[in-house]
Each structure stands twice: as C-alpha cells, then as structure tokens.
Amino acid sequence: MKRRDSLRTLLVGTVAGATLGSTTSCNTDPTTTPPTPETPPATGLYGRLPKEIERDQRIMAEIFLNEHELATIAVLCDIILPATDEAGSATDAEVPEFIDFIVKDMPYHQLPMRGGLMWLDIESNRRFNKTFITCTDAEQIEIVEDIAYPDEENKKPDMAPGIKFFSLIRNLTVTGYYTTRMGFDDLGYVGNRPNVWDGVPEEILADHDVELDAEWAAKCIDQSTRETIAEWDEKGNLLT
Amino acid sequence: MQIIENAKVYDAIIVGSGAGGGMATKILSEAGMKVALVEAGPYFDPKDPVTMTQLKNPWDSPRRGASSTRAFGDFDMSWGDWSVDGEPYTQKDGSEFMWWRARMLGGRTNHWGRISLRFGPKDFKHRDVDGLGDNWPISYDDIKPYYDRLDKMVGVYGTNEGRENDPDGFFLPPPKPRLHELYYIKAARKLGVDVIPSRMSMLTKKLNNDRGVCFYCRQCGRSCNQYADFSSSSVFCIPAINGGQVDLHVNSMVKNVLTDEEGRATGVSYISKEDRKEYRLKGRVVVLGASACSTARILLNSKSSQHPNGLGNSSDNVGRYLHDSTGAGRSGFVPALMDQKTGYNQDGTGGMHVYSPWWLDNKKLDFPRGYHIEVGGGMGMPHYGFGWNISEYNKYLGLPTGGYGDKLRKDVKKFYGAFISMAGRGEAIARRENRCEIDPDVVDQWGIPVLRFNYQWSDYERHQARHMHQTFEEIIHAMGGTPLGDTPGKDQDYGLLRPGQIIHEVGTTRMGDDPKTSVTNKFCQLHDADNVFVVDAGPFTSQADKNCTWTIMALSMRTSEYIVEQFKQKNI
C-alpha cells in the first residue's frame, strides 16, 4: 500500500478528515464521510489520533457535574482567584468549564469533588441554613477562612474534609487558570513561539549573584552565524 | 487464512524505522540497494499539521496537556507508550521492567531527549578497568570515524573539552545557559562536580539546505516541523523514501524471520494491522532494528529445524544481558530563584543547556560505574499540574501556607521558576540472568507470542542511586536551596527507578568474538545466519554512563556499510 494511505487507514470510520480541521496531502480524501452535525469537533486541532478524538468527544458528551455543582464551583473559583486590576477572574478564564471536563477525564477526581461540594452545602446549611451559593459574600468567606489553611495542630477536626476539598479545588483552579492565555499574561510567560535565545538578559543577571564566564560564553553560538552552513576543519574546529 | 506472498525480492528488508533502522535505510538505499522498510506503526511526518503538536498552547487541549491518553502528556510525539493496545508484555519473579514502544515512522526518535553522547574509550573496555561484565569486541578507535561522520550528517551541539572518556567531536555551538543553569554551574563547580555544555542533536546552526535551524521553543519532545532536531522520520526515512529505492510497509507487525534449509534468512513474515492477514516479504538480507527487546522477540519467535532455539540463539543468549540505564531524580526549592523577573522568553532548546558528565573515579566508591547529571528547571510553559500545592512552599520560608485570592496569586508568581531538578543516568552492569524471553502462554492481538521480562537490580546500581541522591542534595544545598521530599532509603532502593524506565534498554543480542557467549559478531551480524544483522541497541555489550542513541546510529552506519560491501562482493 502507499505510505500516504497508512494514517488514513487508521482513521477508518470514526473520524473524517474534516473533523481534524485543515487536512493535508497526507490524508486528505474528499470521499471520506463528512462529520455528522450532532458530533462537532471535540476540541479543535491539537494533533490528536482518531481514538483520542473519539475519547474527547465521548467525554465532552457526558454529563457528570450538575448545574448546582457547577454554580458552586464558579463561586469558589472566583473566591480563589478573583479579578484584579490587571487580570481577569477564574470564571473569566473559564476555569469551571475546565473543571467540568477534567473530572470526567480523570474520574478519580469525581468522588472528592462531588463529596466536597456536598460537604460545603451541609456546612453552610448548618451555619446559615442555606446552600453555599445563596450565602452572602461575608458568610461564604467565613466558611472559606476555616478551610483554606492547613490545620496541622488539628484545632478544627470537623473542618478536615473541607480543608482537603478546598485544596483540591484550589489546585484545579490555579492549574486551569494559568494554562490559559489570561494566565500566561498574568504570569509573564512569553514563550511557546519562534525566537532566538541568546542567554539571560543583562538586566535579569543584574539581580543575581551568578554570571556566565567569558570562556564558556565564547564557546556558545554567535547567533549572527546561525544561518551559515557549518563547516569544520579535520580536528573538529568550527570554521563558519 | 492464506499467507500473501510478495513476488518482489528485495536486496534488504529493514525491520523498524527508529534510530538504527532509519540509518540503515539511508545507507543501504543510497548505495543503490532495493530496500523494504517495515514499520509496525503508521506513517509520520513532523511537518504534518494534522498530527503536529509543536507550538500548541495548553488550552488547545481540554485537559491542558495532561497525561490521560499519552503517558508523557497530550503533546508528546510518541504514538504508543508504556502500554500498547492489544500488545501486552508480562513479568516473571516479581520483575517490574517497564517497556516503552513507539509505533510510528521514526519510532522513539520522534520524542527522545536528543541527548547525544559518544561512548568513550573506557566504555568499550570496561572489564579491563573493574573486571565486571565483558569488553566489547571493538574499541573506540573502531567506531570513532563513524561518530565523526554522524556528527556532521545529523548535527549535534556541544563543545570539545578534551575529556578522556567523553570524546570530542564535530559540534555545532551550544546555546548559552539559562538562569537556573548558571546557578547549577556555580554550585556544582564549588563541589568539584564538572559541568560542561550539553551535547544534543538540535541544529543551533544550519547544517544543510534540507533542514531548518532551531527556533528555541523547547519542544523537541513534540518533534520539530522544521526538522531542526533529529528524528529518524524527518532526517532518515522520509528522504530515503523520496529517493525511490525504498518501499515502506507501515502498520506491519513483523512476526518472524523466514529461513531456508541452510538456515539463512529468506525474508520476513508480518501481520498487517489493516486487514489482519499474514504477509511475506522476500529479501537477500534482513536487518533488524525493531528495538533491543522487539528484535529479541522476533528472533526468539523465528524457530525452525535449523534454528530450534530461535534464530541466532544457538548460544541461548538472545534476550539475555538486557540492561537499561540506571536513573534517579530529585528536585529542590531555591529561594534565590524566587520572584524572578518574567517577560523574557526563556524556553531555549529542548531539555538542558548544561550537564555534568561523570567526574569521579569508581575505585574510591562502593559502586563500579558512573552516571551523568541532567539539569531541569526554569520558567517553563504551564501545563496541567502547574501551581499544584504551590502555597505549601511557604513553609520553607517560615511563612503561612494555604490561602486564596491575592495571596495565592502572589505565591504563584513568587515560586514560578524557583525550582531545580536533577536526573542521574548511570551505567548498570549487564548480567546474564536479566532477560526477556517468550512467554509460553500469551500472544498479542496479532497472534504473536509476547515477551516476558525478568530483570532485577543489584547493589551496584542501588549504591549508585544512593550516591546520586547524595550529590543532588549537596548541589541543592550549595545553591542555598532545600531538597524536596525525603532522602529515599534502602526500602526504596535508594530512589533507583525501575528497570526500563529510562528507555535505554540494550544488550539482548550482544556482540562478541565467541559464538558461544554472544549473538552477533563485531559487525552486528548473527553468528548463526550471515545475512541477518541487528542495528538497534541489541548488540551493545555494555551500556555506558551515556545515552545510547548516538552509539546506535554510529554502529548502524558501520554495520550498514559492511552490509553494502559484503552485498557488492556477493558474500551475502
């Protein structure tokens, strides 16, 4: 068989070329079945294999968290990472949508998440006779203050499940937030794009008690020569 | 089921398209031989936008790059990992061998770390140094010309340092160190641990007009669409296929080598993953580059009246002497790297820009072989797991942990990039008892008997891992930092990772001059069948404290040129 047919053969049936977005000569085949409108592309293009796309689509179609749980998560996420003057909030960064997906992708999060949310409502019912999301801001913060810090001396044993749950949702919120464009901008991460690395900038080095010694620096690439084809003498000395 | 015979008779059938098979495909096809390249996975080109993961952002993945479907994360460019659907492997006597298999054109080279270290003179004759294991039947001088040509053919950055057992070569210039690497250099040197620029097969400078130059995205594990890192797919296989001398057979799972009445190979039999039928290819030479363990499996499954114990196995050594690099790793929190200024692109090349080659004399130590240290850290791209338990690091500063809101946001930024990690990769002693063999009870979904592993570490490796952790802790302390986690004790093998976990498995068809104690000769040719060659890491008599890929390719080049010569002289 032709080599270029090989991947397509593994694409049999489940996924049509169009589902993958812009296809290339490698496996474009206009005769493949078009995607059915009921199952739109799961996640856009991120280099998935057919079985991975199928899995993404299946997970996206599933429902685990209910509307009340998602509403509670949204309130908690924004308490954990509220908006600042410079950056949006966790819900601005669609963290609840991320958590909704991730507990289906990683089912071991499901029980701690569902149970923790229920614990939170029981606790707010006990204190204020209402669910967490119907509490006032001050009431919500009163509970959060009791579960947002470790209790190493076990002064509040009744809060232990809440502390554990808050740690989980804080971790998922931070991870979900900083893996978005908004998070990159807040963090100051400017990579993942073509560029030319030429060492730590001087102004950064000025803050640190380390330096690049001249001998080492002299061995490193002179970036003005990067497009010149390498040639060596017979001893391995680079000539270009 | 009818076996489908291909009428064509190839000059050579090459099994596997990774580092060794890719090199063989290049050399044999360029010499004019008609080649069949047989790969168990599908076609792959790092340039293909449909499968490309390079430069994707974490939010392109709904799980933000987590490892739910790929063991090294969504963006890792390996199809197949510790497990392959329908292709199990088993263990004996509590063995915990881990086996990474990539099923795709280019194999594991599409995602490897590109750490490209020549073995040194001592590495080929280490028995002479400490009386352990066996010497190779070849020396550094035999393989040096091939390393030299490999450097220029494939490209590797590094520096000539004049070190006795870390030979010089033909290097492209390295990139400058990152900030955390400058800290590492200073701390390690204070302790007498050598540090030199890394040796990695990425093109920091143009090598030829066929490949691009590194644009510093730190994503070589995703395979480079500019072909600026070495993948066998982009650098060997695709150009060879375009050369017209190569028929590529993909999704083709080789079952066994076919032999004639004289015991010589006549071709291979494979199962097509597309129609689940058995096919046969005929060839004058069979070159096995399926990976050390997969090649052993094929040989052991190639039983005939001439080779009742499996092909090449008259000495009962196929699958034996299996050994992987040792590994241990540790992270540390470094307060001096807190509150870093961000806003500059620190990505650099994939992996580290500096490393520590083995710097000590084992005569003074309680383990016989060395290790090198790979350095990690910096302000990398956030993925799933970023910021996990981040506020807990306040405990190292005597500050309150936990919290939310502005405090949490400040903690995330404060600790971003404030960690260093080190990975030791060392040499294990090859032992006859450590092996893979055919499991008599289990077949995979293609009906092919699977491998069963039996691999146990010895105190040589455990003591080496203990030394690694001691070194890591000293370096972290010298940086003014705190090692994270406890020092692993005896009950945890001192932190020694599982065999196979470093993915440097070698030795299963080891080379030697004596057919009674080895499987291949010094040209990686089976003692028992002169037209069967092995070009993966199977023929390694011993591993070194180096990564194995550069030596796989140099050996494959040497073997392939020997094949061409013998073929032209009609000796095979």
Side-chain angles (χ1 to χ4, degrees), chain A residues 1 6 48 52 56 80 82 105 145 148 150 170-171 175-176 186 192 197 208-209 221 225-226 230 240, chain B residues 43 57 63-64 68 70 74 174 176 183 186 205-206 219 250 274 347 386 389 401 403-405 409 413:
Chain A
M1 78 182 294
S6 69
R48 292 306 82 192
E52 293 170 319
D56 278 2
I80 290 165
D105 189 58
E145 276 291 313
R170 177 172 50 211
N171 283 336
T175 264
D186 188 44
N192 194 29
W197 166 257
H208 295 271
D209 188 23
I221 177 76
T225 67
R226 58 190 254 108
T240 57
Chain B
Y43 188 76
N57 283 302
R63 66 188 65 75
R64 310 295 161 85
S68 308
R70 299 189 190 189
D74 265 345
K176 288 176 184 159
Y183 274 88
K186 188 177 174 185
K205 185 176 170 66
K206 210 163 176 58
Q219 293 166 23
V250 291
E274 286 147 18
D347 286 347
F386 178 87
N389 295 335
T401 59
Y404 59 96
R409 223 181 252 275
K413 294 175 191 177

Side-chain angles (χ1 to χ4, degrees), chain B residues 180-301:
Chain B
H180 68 275
E181 292 168 334
L182 292 174
Y183 274 88
Y184 176 84
I185 294 168
K186 188 177 174 185
R189 284 183 169 172
K190 202 192 294 181
L191 296 166
V193 177
D194 296 348
V195 192
I196 62 172
S198 301
R199 296 171 173 184
M200 316 268 275
S201 57
M202 299 129 187
L203 306 186
T204 52
K205 185 176 170 66
K206 210 163 176 58
L207 188 72
N208 55 45
N209 289 319
D210 302 325
R211 296 171 59 195
V213 181
C214 178
F215 58 83
Y216 299 101
C217 71
R218 206 180 188 175
Q219 293 166 23
C220 303
R222 305 185 186 191
S223 207
C224 185
N225 80 84
Q226 296 298 307
Y227 299 174
D229 57 17
F230 169 74
S231 298
S232 179
S233 52
S234 54
V235 178
F236 291 153
C237 297
I238 293 170
I241 292 159
N242 291 338
Q245 289 291 104
V246 179
D247 287 348
L248 176 65
H249 299 260
V250 291
N251 301 318
S252 302
M253 185 78 185
V254 171
K255 181 166 74 71
N256 61 300
V257 177
L258 305 165
T259 50
D260 63 15
E261 286 159 9
E262 291 165 17
R264 298 182 83 242
T266 57
V268 301
S269 168
Y270 70 83
I271 308 299
S272 166
K273 294 183 173 179
E274 286 147 18
D275 60 14
R276 300 187 59 84
K277 288 185 176 147
E278 184 175 353
Y279 289 76
R280 284 185 174 177
L281 292 175
K282 285 181 269 197
R284 294 190 171 88
V285 178
V286 172
V287 181
L288 298 172
S291 83
C293 296
S294 285
T295 287
R297 180 185 178 197
I298 292 167
L299 289 171
L300 292 169
N301 278 328

Side-chain angles (χ1 to χ4, degrees), chain A residues 202-221:
Chain A
E202 284 303 323
E203 65 271 21
I204 303 288
L205 269 183
D207 289 347
H208 295 271
D209 188 23
V210 290
E211 58 181 3
L212 179 61
D213 68 66
E215 194 192 341
W216 191 305
K219 294 173 180 173
C220 294
I221 177 76

Side-chain angles (χ1 to χ4, degrees), chain B residues 325-330 372-374 422-426 464-466 468-469 472 488 493-497 502:
Chain B
S325 293
T326 56
R330 196 72 178 275
H372 71 264
I373 303 173
E374 303 172 3
M422 278 164 272
R425 298 288 179 260
Q464 188 195 57
R466 180 169 59 188
M468 288 182 193
H469 273 276
F472 301 155
D493 280 351
Y494 303 108
L496 182 63
L497 297 175
I502 310 305

Side-chain angles (χ1 to χ4, degrees), chain A:
Chain A
M1 78 182 294
K2 285 184 189 150
R3 63 187 155 81
R4 295 201 185 280
D5 293 334
S6 69
L7 190 61
R8 189 175 63 214
T9 308
L10 288 189
L11 295 175
V12 196
T14 53
V15 187
T19 308
L20 290 159
S22 61
T23 50
T24 66
S25 59
C26 274
N27 49 18
T28 303
D29 182 348
T31 63
T32 46
T33 321
T36 51
E38 294 76 26
T39 53
T43 57
L45 259 178
Y46 68 113
R48 292 306 82 192
L49 292 173
K51 66 177 181 183
E52 293 170 319
I53 295 173
E54 198 182 345
R55 182 179 180 279
D56 278 2
Q57 288 179 334
R58 177 169 50 74
I59 288 174
M60 298 225 180
E62 285 170 6
I63 291 172
F64 177 71
L65 293 169
N66 65 36
E67 283 186 19
H68 173 73
E69 288 167 327
L70 283 169
T72 310
I73 286 169
V75 170
L76 282 167
C77 283
D78 276 355
I79 290 171
I80 290 165
L81 287 178
T84 67
D85 291 344
E86 294 88 30
S89 69
T91 51
D92 292 335
E94 300 187 348
V95 170
E97 289 84 342
F98 163 71
I99 293 175
D100 184 36
F101 176 84
I102 212 76
V103 297
K104 294 184 284 178
D105 189 58
M106 303 175 184
Y108 59 88
H109 285 317
Q110 289 179 359
L111 181 61
M113 180 61 66
R114 172 154 285 162
L117 289 164
M118 195 71 215
W119 180 93
L120 191 66
D121 273 344
I122 291 170
E123 183 63 18
S124 55
N125 266 322
R126 186 180 70 78
R127 294 194 197 191
F128 309 115
N129 202 26
K130 34 188 180 178
T131 60
F132 184 75
I133 53 172
T134 52
C135 288
T136 65
D137 290 359
E139 288 163 347
Q140 286 171 347
I141 293 298
E142 186 191 306
I143 297 175
V144 166
E145 276 291 313
D146 279 340
I147 59 176
Y149 303 92
D151 179 28
E152 272 153 22
E153 288 162 33
N154 202 25
K155 287 180 183 163
K156 303 176 288 187
D158 293 349
M159 292 296 107
I163 291 170
K164 188 145 190 159
F165 164 67
F166 194 81
S167 179
L168 171 66
I169 196 153
R170 177 172 50 211
N171 283 336
L172 288 172
T173 301
V174 170
T175 264
Y177 185 86
Y178 284 99
T179 48
T180 63
R181 172 64 70 196
M182 193 180 289
F184 276 21
D185 291 346
D186 188 44
L187 200 57
Y189 175 73
V190 295
N192 194 29
R193 66 189 73 177
N195 75 114
V196 176
W197 166 257
D198 200 23
V200 184
E202 284 303 323
E203 65 271 21
I204 303 288
L205 269 183
D207 289 347
H208 295 271
D209 188 23
V210 290
E211 58 181 3
L212 179 61
D213 68 66
E215 194 192 341
W216 191 305
K219 294 173 180 173
C220 294
I221 177 76
D222 169 356
Q223 294 292 9
S224 70
T225 67
R226 58 190 254 108
E227 295 292 341
T228 315
I229 289 182
E231 291 171 33
W232 297 265
D233 67 15
E234 71 280 6
K235 287 181 179 163
N237 298 305
L238 189 72
L239 301 172
T240 57

Side-chain angles (χ1 to χ4, degrees), chain B residues 385-403:
Chain B
F386 178 87
W388 216 261
N389 295 335
I390 195 69
S391 78
E392 284 189 16
Y393 299 102
N394 280 306
K395 72 184 177 195
Y396 297 110
L397 304 167
L399 295 171
T401 59

Side-chain angles (χ1 to χ4, degrees), chain A residues 230 232 236 238, chain B residues 112 114-118 147-160 167-175 197-207 211 228-230 550 553:
Chain A
W232 297 265
L238 189 72
Chain B
W112 69 303
R114 274 77 176 186
I115 298 171
S116 302
L117 306 174
R118 293 182 183 208
Y147 279 135
D148 288 350
R149 287 166 55 204
L150 178 65
D151 288 356
K152 295 180 202 173
M153 177 193 292
V154 168
V156 51
Y157 76 68
T159 49
N160 287 333
D168 292 343
F170 292 79
F171 292 112
L172 303 168
S198 301
R199 296 171 173 184
M200 316 268 275
S201 57
M202 299 129 187
L203 306 186
T204 52
K205 185 176 170 66
K206 210 163 176 58
L207 188 72
R211 296 171 59 195
D229 57 17
F230 169 74
W550 221 241
M553 290 202 282

